[in-house]
């Protein structure tokens, strides 16, 4: 079945590729046609402009001659045959048939000796009105009957028109001018008036164009033309602008480029048309398309060969790829995708989803190295596999997170198995020589396995019940306090309004000199006072905000609030003492944290020494960039305190790399005072820290004996209920004034 699906897939793949190639052929052919068409249009444009320039220059030269003769000669001399013959040389030079003069009475005298009455000619009447011009093609009435055009200009005497000077120009001369070879001899040209009258065509123009007097008459008689083509040409001739188009003649399509020709008379506007048949385009594209089709055929053959090779290679590696897709590369166990796939066939079976991770696993990586961490995960995978029954399976999600399905009938039988698994997992600590492993299991019981994602999510929620403590290894989903979840949701939803409404207040716990009891500074602590006046414990909202990310906004809020109050004390002359501010581990993961806090501090014009920063010991374990971050804070001028030292896995050697200014001893170390061994440990720790050049603050000091012991250790300052609990602003100010 799988083989048939694979074969069908390859057939579809080949069909798709073939369709792409055929589409490419069509698109390429179309593009070539468009490119060649564009090239032909550009050539038409160039040839038409060239022809227009030639014809215009010819017309201009003729008019320049006639104007010169009319302006420099005595008008009366034009009526003398011997005088008019002197212009015979101009006839030869300018390739006229004759030059002549028409008197006001219509009598003409020419260089070739003809006298005749031309008073019926339109160009004579225009000339007598002072209008110059060149006519369309006429039949010569003087001498041999042949097609001509007549150039005419008025001759003035004393400001009045005396007569008309004209020159007869053979139409063949225009034909020769237009007969510039283009498009391998298949292109031709003609001159057309604005009304569509065909003035003259080049020698190689087709018969249908040479035999028609008006091109629109031909259009109306030809069934091949369209109204659109005719209207387009009419619109083009109606304005003095260049343009292009197409029409049909002799059962084929022609492309044209029209260029307006300045022939003196705007009411007799001429256009030079340069025309090429579609066969030119076809002949140019056929050779190119032939080569393209050969190349595409070669491409198809190469594609077929490549596809066959690819199919062969895929068939060899198919099983290997399938295994890679569903196998965790580190442990060799199933991955999450494979787990979900297996669960689809388990609907109706009663079982327990177990979400597993190792508490403080990051500590193994940071203290023992990544290789040892990977070895640990491989060993965990083997332990889980060894405890599975038939039809049970598990998967590694990522990092130290695993998911197991247990088919036990009830919780009691499962709990006994979980205890055995935990025992074997904890034994890995000795076997691998690593910090103690403390596995956590979140359990969700169900018979519905269609929504694996949701089931796994509920198991993870159950695990959060015991996350962070070491008294229990597992918890079930039905132990979750839904009321607590709802309360947490309400707290999260109200956070932004609480920030805006100023519900968060800063309290201050003083730090004092153990010898003099004088105040040395304070630590800023956050308190949330709800609108009804009740105080919400930080233990309720701080861990919650660390999980949902709101803690970063709260950190910044506290920092700004402390800066604001310090600025007020500075401006009012109140005694200034450093007030330290806590930065959560989440905030430290933002790359711009140092720059942001320095910018805030600068905006209040404060010396950084008045707002030291406290970083918890656990944050230094999780963040691999902490040493670099500490250096950046120092470069920005901040004083740094290591908070809660001794509460977790303290690494004394790492203090040499992380250059904190002050170490705050956690209350768990202070409580050793009174125990001989504990006091020795505390004494050695303080001595080491002092030798490293660090100041020491003792937290959680509650008794006089503790104060005395710390005083003997030369502890720098003390913080605890013995001297003062956290105080609101007014009470702190009183304390500061009385303990200066």
């Amino acid at each position: 079945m799988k083989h048939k699906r694979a074969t069908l897939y390859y057939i579809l793949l080949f069909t798709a590729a073939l369709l792409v190639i055929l589409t490419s052929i069509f698109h390429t052919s179309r593009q070539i046609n468009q490119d060649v068409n564009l090239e032909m249009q550009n050539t038409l444009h160039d040839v038409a402009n060239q022809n227009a320039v030639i014809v215009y220059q010819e017309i201009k030269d003729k008019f320049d001659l006639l104007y010169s003769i009319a302006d420099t000669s005595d008008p009366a001399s034009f009526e003398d045959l011997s005088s008019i013959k002197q212009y015979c040389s101009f006839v030869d030079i300018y390739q006229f048939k004759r030059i002549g003069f028409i008197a006001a009475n219509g009598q003409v005298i020419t260089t070739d000796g003809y006298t005749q009455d031309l008073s019926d000619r339109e160009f004579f009447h225009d000339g007598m009105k002072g209008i110059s011009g060149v006519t369309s093609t006429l039949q010569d009435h003087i001498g041999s009957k042949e097609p001509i055009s007549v150039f005419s200009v008025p001759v003035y005497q004393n400001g009045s028109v005396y007569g008309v000077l004209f020159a007869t120009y053979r139409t063949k001369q225009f034909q020769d001018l237009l007969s510039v070879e283009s498009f391998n001899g298949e292109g031709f040209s003609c001159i057309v008036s604005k009304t569509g009258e065909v003035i003259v065509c080049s020698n190689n123009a087709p018969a249908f164009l040479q035999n028609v007097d008006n091109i629109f008459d031909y259009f109306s008689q030809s069934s091949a033309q369209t109204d659109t083509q005719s209207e387009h040409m009419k619109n083009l001739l109606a304005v003095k602008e260049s343009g292009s188009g197409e029409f049909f003649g002799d059962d084929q399509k022609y492309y044209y480029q029209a260029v307006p020709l300045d022939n003196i008379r705007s009411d007799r506007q001429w256009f030079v048309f340069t025309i090429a048949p579609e066969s030119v385009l076809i002949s140019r594209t056929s050779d190119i398309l032939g080569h393209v089709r050969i190349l595409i055929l070669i491409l198809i053959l190469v594609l077929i060969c490549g596809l066959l090779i690819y199919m062969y290679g895929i068939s060899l590696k198919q099983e290997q790829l399938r295994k890679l897709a569903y196998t965790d590369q580190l442990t060799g166990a199933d991955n999450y995708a494979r787990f979900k796939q297996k669960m689809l066939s388990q609907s109706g079976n009663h079982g327990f989803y177990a979400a597993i991770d190792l508490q403080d696993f990051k500590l193994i990586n940071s203290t023992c190295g990544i290789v040892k961490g990977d070895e640990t995960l491989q060993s965990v995978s083997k332990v889980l596999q060894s405890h599975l029954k038939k039809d049970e399976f598990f998967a590694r999600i990522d990092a130290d997170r695993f998911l197991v399905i247990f088919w036990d009938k009830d919780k009691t039988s499962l709990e006994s198995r979980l205890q055995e698994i935990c025992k074997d997992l904890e034994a890995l600590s000795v076997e691998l020589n690593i910090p103690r492993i403390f596995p956590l299991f979140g359990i969700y019981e169900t018979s519905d396995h269609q929504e694996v994602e949701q089931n796994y999510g509920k198991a993870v929620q159950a695990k959060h019940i015991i996350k962070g403590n070491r008294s229990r290894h597992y918890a079930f989903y039905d132990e979750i306090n839904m009321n607590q979840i709802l309360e947490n949701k309400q707290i999260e939803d109200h956070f932004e309004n609480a920030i805006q409404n100023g519900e968060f207040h800063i309290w201050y716990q003083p730090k004092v000199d153990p010898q003099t009891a004088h105040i040395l500074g304070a630590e800023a602590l956050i308190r949330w006072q709800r609108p009804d006046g009740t105080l919400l414990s930080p233990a309720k909202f701080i861990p919650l905000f660390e999980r949902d990310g709101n803690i970063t906004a709260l950190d910044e809020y506290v920092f700004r609030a402390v800066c604001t109050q310090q600025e007020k004390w500075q401006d009012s002359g109140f005694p200034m003492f450093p007030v330290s501010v806590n930065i959560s581990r989440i905030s430290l993961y933002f790359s711009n944290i140092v720059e942001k806090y320095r910018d805030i501090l600068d905006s209040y014009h404060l010396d950084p020494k008045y707002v030291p920063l406290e970083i918890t010991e656990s944050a230094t374990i999780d963040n691999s960039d902490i040493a670099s971050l500490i250096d950046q804070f120092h470069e920005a001028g901040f004083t740094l305190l290591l908070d809660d030292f001794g509460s977790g896995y303290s690494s004394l050697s790492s203090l040499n790399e992380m250059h904190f200014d002050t170490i705050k001893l956690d209350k768990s170390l202070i409580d050793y005072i009174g125990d001989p061994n504990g006091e020795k440990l505390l004494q050695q720790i303080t001595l080491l820290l002092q030798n490293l050049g660090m100041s020491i603050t003792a937290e959680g000091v509650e008794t006089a004996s503790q104060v005395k012991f710390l005083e003997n250790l030369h502890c720098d300052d003390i913080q605890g209920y013995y001297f003062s609990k956290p105080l609101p602003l007014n009470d702190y100010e009183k304390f500061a004034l009385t303990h200066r």
Side-chain angles (χ1 to χ4, degrees):
M1 187 65 179
K2 291 182 179 179
H3 178 70
K4 289 183 178 180
R5 284 202 301 267
T7 303
L8 178 61
Y9 168 76
Y10 293 129
I11 292 174
L12 292 175
L13 182 63
F14 177 76
T15 303
L18 190 58
L19 287 174
V20 170
I21 292 175
L22 293 175
T23 303
S24 300
I25 293 174
F26 173 77
H27 176 75
T28 303
S29 301
R30 186 176 179 181
Q31 188 63 45
I32 290 173
N33 272 307
Q34 290 176 350
D35 292 343
V36 174
N37 189 296
L38 179 61
E39 179 190 353
M40 189 174 76
Q41 293 289 349
N42 291 335
T43 304
L44 277 172
H45 180 270
D46 293 340
V47 174
N49 277 285
Q50 177 185 350
N51 289 336
V53 169
I54 293 173
V55 174
Y56 168 74
Q57 191 61 48
E58 182 74 2
I59 293 174
K60 182 177 182 300
D61 290 346
K62 304 302 184 272
F63 274 117
D64 287 347
L65 173 65
L66 293 179
Y67 281 129
S68 176
I69 295 173
D71 292 341
T72 59
S73 302
D74 181 6
S77 67
F78 290 129
E79 299 186 61
D80 180 57
L81 181 60
S82 61
S83 296
I84 200 74
K85 283 184 176 291
Q86 66 179 320
Y87 302 117
C88 287
S89 60
F90 292 119
V91 172
D92 295 334
I93 295 172
Y94 284 85
Q95 296 181 321
F96 288 130
K97 185 175 182 181
R98 68 177 65 86
I99 294 177
F101 175 76
I102 309 175
N105 60 4
Q107 291 298 314
V108 64
I109 184 169
T110 68
T111 55
D112 52 357
Y114 287 99
T115 57
Q116 194 172 340
D117 185 1
L118 292 182
S119 59
D120 61 334
R121 289 291 192 173
E122 183 180 1
F123 70 84
F124 165 69
H125 293 287
D126 287 342
M128 292 304 296
K129 295 176 184 178
I131 302 173
S132 302
V134 57
T135 68
S136 301
T137 301
L138 303 175
Q139 195 71 21
D140 192 2
H141 286 186
I142 302 175
S144 61
K145 307 298 190 238
E146 62 179 318
I148 60 168
S149 292
V150 178
F151 292 84
S152 60
V153 298
V155 177
Y156 290 88
Q157 186 179 49
N158 298 326
S160 299
V161 178
Y162 182 79
V164 177
L165 182 67
F166 72 93
T168 302
Y169 188 75
R170 294 179 178 87
T171 302
K172 185 178 183 305
Q173 297 294 111
F174 276 135
Q175 287 180 328
D176 293 341
L177 287 175
L178 293 174
S179 298
V180 177
E181 183 174 332
S182 60
F183 300 103
N184 298 325
E186 296 187 58
F188 55 91
S189 299
C190 61
I191 299 176
V192 178
S193 73
K194 63 186 295 184
T195 60
E197 179 186 1
V198 180
I199 308 298
V200 64
C201 295
S202 60
N203 297 321
N204 63 333
F208 80 88
L209 195 58
Q210 293 193 12
N211 296 331
V212 69
D213 293 329
N214 191 294
I215 196 167
F216 295 118
D217 293 340
Y218 171 77
F219 276 13
S220 63
Q221 298 168 7
S222 173
S223 60
Q225 310 302 329
T226 65
D227 293 338
T228 302
Q229 292 167 340
S230 180
E231 286 300 318
H232 177 74
M233 185 177 287
K234 286 181 179 179
N235 292 335
L236 181 63
L237 298 181
V239 294
K240 191 178 179 180
E241 293 181 1
S242 298
S244 61
E246 58 188 48
F247 66 90
F248 287 91
D250 290 344
D251 299 325
Q252 70 169 314
K253 184 187 290 185
Y254 288 87
Y255 298 94
Y256 67 82
Q257 176 71 38
V259 178
L261 183 64
D262 187 355
N263 66 335
I264 307 301
R265 295 284 294 277
S266 61
D267 59 333
R268 295 179 183 173
Q269 179 66 57
W270 288 0
F271 291 81
V272 173
F273 272 65
T274 299
I275 305 168
E278 189 181 36
S279 58
V280 174
L281 176 65
I282 295 173
S283 64
R284 289 190 175 189
T285 56
S286 59
D287 290 341
I288 300 174
L289 288 176
H291 292 301
V292 170
R293 291 186 179 110
I294 292 174
L295 289 175
I296 291 176
L297 179 61
I298 294 173
L299 178 62
I300 293 175
L301 294 175
V302 170
L303 178 65
I304 293 174
C305 293
L307 186 61
L308 292 174
I309 294 172
Y310 175 76
M311 291 172 60
Y312 177 72
I314 287 296
S315 64
L316 293 179
K317 296 184 178 180
Q318 196 169 38
E319 285 302 318
Q320 180 181 358
L321 291 176
R322 186 179 294 109
K323 182 178 180 181
L324 289 173
Y326 292 111
T327 303
D328 177 62
Q329 299 305 300
L330 176 63
T331 63
D334 290 343
N335 60 17
Y336 190 34
R338 179 59 174 161
F339 184 93
K340 290 190 289 185
Q341 185 185 60
K342 287 182 176 180
M343 291 305 300
L344 293 177
S345 61
Q346 302 296 331
S347 184
N349 294 337
H350 177 270
F352 297 86
Y353 286 76
I356 309 169
D357 69 18
L358 308 178
Q359 189 154 290
D360 296 325
F361 174 75
K362 291 180 180 179
L363 185 63
I364 298 175
N365 281 334
S366 61
T367 59
C368 303
I370 300 297
V371 174
K372 181 61 74 172
D374 290 346
E375 184 183 351
T376 301
L377 295 175
Q378 292 167 349
S379 298
V380 169
S381 179
K382 292 177 181 178
V383 169
L384 294 176
Q385 183 64 52
S386 67
H387 283 273
L388 295 182
K389 296 179 180 178
K390 183 181 179 182
D391 297 330
E392 292 180 340
F393 45 88
F394 77 101
R396 177 174 175 248
I397 307 301
D398 57 26
D400 62 321
R401 297 189 300 163
F402 294 83
L403 176 59
V404 182
I405 183 69
F406 295 108
W407 299 120
D408 289 83
K409 295 182 178 180
D410 52 48
K411 291 182 180 180
T412 303
S413 62
L414 176 62
E415 287 177 342
S416 62
R417 294 181 64 191
L418 292 177
Q419 291 171 5
E420 291 298 321
I421 294 173
C422 289
K423 179 180 177 182
D424 288 349
L425 289 175
E426 289 181 316
L428 294 176
S429 302
V430 177
E431 180 182 333
L432 300 176
N433 192 25
I434 56 176
R436 181 189 172 193
I437 289 179
F438 195 91
L440 298 176
F441 291 76
I443 314 296
Y444 176 64
E445 181 179 3
T446 184
S447 298
D448 182 5
H449 308 294
Q450 296 302 309
E451 300 293 341
V452 177
E453 295 274 2
Q454 293 183 11
N455 296 342
Y456 173 56
K458 290 178 180 179
V460 172
Q461 289 182 41
K463 186 176 60 179
H464 284 156
I465 298 175
I466 53 175
K467 192 79 170 178
N469 68 65
R470 291 176 174 266
S471 60
R472 296 176 58 189
H473 283 291
Y474 55 87
F476 289 87
Y477 180 76
D478 54 17
E479 297 179 52
I480 294 177
N481 185 340
M482 296 307 297
N483 291 331
Q484 184 63 51
I485 292 177
L486 293 175
E487 182 182 358
N488 289 346
K489 184 67 168 60
Q490 291 175 351
I491 290 174
E492 289 178 321
D493 292 344
H494 192 64
F495 173 72
E496 290 188 8
N497 288 334
I499 288 283
Q500 296 173 1
N501 298 335
E503 295 179 17
F504 290 102
H505 301 280
I506 306 301
W507 286 38
Y508 303 83
Q509 186 168 27
K511 300 175 185 178
V512 300
D513 187 325
Q515 296 182 347
T516 65
H518 292 168
I519 185 170
L520 298 176
E523 178 183 0
L525 302 171
I526 191 71
R527 296 292 184 267
W528 187 351
Q529 187 172 19
R530 303 299 293 270
D532 59 4
T534 58
L535 285 175
L536 193 62
S537 169
K540 279 200 168 210
F541 61 83
I542 293 294
L544 180 62
F545 291 160
E546 285 181 339
R547 290 198 298 269
D548 64 20
N550 284 332
I551 193 66
T552 58
L554 189 61
D555 284 350
E556 186 175 333
Y557 175 87
V558 174
F559 186 75
R560 288 183 181 275
V562 171
C563 289
T564 300
Q565 187 57 52
Q566 287 283 38
E567 185 182 41
K568 290 179 180 178
W569 284 330
Q570 183 173 263
D571 294 342
S572 65
F574 189 84
M576 296 284 288
F577 301 103
V579 177
S580 60
V581 176
N582 288 279
I583 299 182
S584 68
R585 68 169 67 186
I586 306 300
S587 294
L588 293 175
Y589 282 107
F590 288 86
S591 59
N592 65 338
I593 180 70
V594 177
E595 180 182 358
K596 177 190 286 189
Y597 273 57
R598 181 67 214 203
D599 288 344
I600 295 172
L601 190 71
D602 290 343
S603 68
Y604 289 95
H605 310 292
L606 288 174
D607 190 317
K609 70 180 181 180
Y610 289 117
V611 193
L613 303 177
E614 295 194 15
I615 299 174
T616 61
E617 184 186 45
S618 59
T620 65
I621 296 175
D622 291 342
N623 195 328
S624 59
D625 298 326
I626 190 65
S628 172
L629 199 59
I630 290 171
D631 291 340
Q632 293 177 44
F633 272 119
H634 278 140
E635 290 173 4
F638 286 100
T639 302
L640 294 182
L641 291 71
L642 179 62
D643 194 17
D644 297 337
F645 182 80
S647 61
Y649 293 95
S650 301
S651 177
L652 295 176
S653 62
S654 65
L655 294 177
N656 189 44
E657 300 176 4
M658 299 181 293
H659 305 293
F660 285 94
D661 301 287
T662 298
I663 304 298
K664 297 186 71 175
L665 302 178
D666 187 70
K667 185 179 184 302
S668 59
L669 291 178
I670 304 304
D671 289 341
Y672 284 156
I673 298 174
D675 175 76
N677 290 330
E679 289 181 350
K680 290 179 182 179
L681 175 62
L682 191 56
Q683 185 177 19
Q684 294 302 315
I685 290 175
T686 56
L687 182 60
L688 174 62
L689 295 175
Q690 288 165 346
N691 287 336
L692 290 174
M694 300 178 183
S695 300
I696 299 174
T697 296
E699 293 185 286
V701 179
E702 298 178 347
T703 66
S705 60
Q706 290 176 337
V707 173
K708 186 64 177 176
F709 183 83
L710 294 168
E711 181 182 349
N712 291 333
L713 293 180
H714 303 292
C715 185
D716 296 280
D717 51 74
I718 286 177
Q719 182 181 348
Y721 275 40
Y722 180 80
F723 287 105
S724 175
K725 62 182 180 180
L727 302 172
L729 177 61
N730 292 336
D731 292 344
Y732 169 72
E733 289 179 337
K734 293 177 184 179
F735 183 92
L737 291 174
T738 57
H739 290 76
R740 283 191 293 177

